[in-house]
Amino acid sequence: MRETGYNREAAVDYARRWAMGRNPAYFDFEEIGGDCTNFASQCLFAGAKVMNYTPVTGWFYRSSGDRTASWTGVEYLYNFLIANRSVGPYGHQVPRSQAVPGDIVQLGDRDGRFYHSPVITAVTPTILVAAHTFDALDRPLDSYLYDVARFIHIGGVRNW
């Protein structure tokens, strides 16, 4: 396995291109639970260029019915990125001050239930994000109502 870089610029470019619309290559989950993590995964894929096709615990999308939970589920994406030691993108949780464009921020309630996965598009020093479900482009993170936020810094990508 070899280490490859995560193309943050490609991830942010994808976020900017599709934040206010839908890429027809992917199903829109907005009406059946939300599309935010699907969109975040699309952005990650734009920057990683590789999926992890491990059944159940991997991270991939072939169709709406042939994908892993980590592609569309907030907690599942977090678990995949933090624990991934195989093919695909991986990351680690960092303080807000270390978040950079192309990283993911997840918003949660006071009970620690995370429910939203915006993609960081800029740090100006205000953090700006792009997201689906409630479509947003360069929305200030601080304009959301949330109790806790966790920042997932994408450390790199592994490929065969």
Side-chain angles (χ1 to χ4, degrees):
M1 199 168 325
R2 65 184 170 90
E3 182 85 18
T4 59
Y6 175 60
N7 187 336
R8 295 178 177 284
E9 185 175 314
V12 171
D13 287 349
Y14 186 96
R16 292 186 182 290
R17 167 70 178 91
W18 293 105
M20 305 308 287
R22 299 295 185 270
N23 182 336
Y26 298 94
F27 184 80
D28 181 0
F29 293 90
E30 186 166 340
E31 299 298 321
I32 54 171
D35 198 56
C36 68
T37 305
N38 177 41
F39 176 67
S41 286
Q42 292 172 40
C43 296
L44 285 169
F45 179 62
K49 300 292 187 221
V50 62
M51 294 182 193
N52 180 318
Y53 290 99
T54 305
V56 183
T57 60
W59 174 78
F60 69 85
Y61 177 97
R62 290 185 184 112
S63 70
S64 62
D66 187 8
R67 61 182 164 79
T68 51
S70 60
W71 190 272
T72 53
V74 175
E75 286 292 341
Y76 295 102
L77 178 61
Y78 175 82
N79 291 337
F80 171 78
L81 289 171
I82 299 303
N84 184 28
R85 303 289 180 261
S86 185
V87 174
Y90 62 89
H92 56 279
Q93 197 167 329
V94 296
R96 179 186 185 113
S97 62
Q98 293 177 21
V100 295
D103 286 345
I104 306 295
V105 56
Q106 293 186 325
L107 308 180
D109 64 22
R110 67 174 54 103
D111 296 323
R113 287 186 297 260
F114 288 86
Y115 54 81
H116 196 42
S117 298
V119 177
I120 298 173
T121 54
V123 178
T124 65
T126 299
I127 292 178
L128 304 178
V129 298
H132 273 186
T133 303
F134 299 104
D135 295 0
L137 175 59
D138 291 334
R139 179 177 173 175
L141 180 62
D142 292 338
S143 71
Y144 284 91
L145 297 176
Y146 60 92
D147 294 315
V148 294
R150 62 184 176 198
F151 298 86
I152 307 167
H153 178 72
I154 308 304
V157 179
R158 294 184 192 93
N159 206 339
W160 290 114

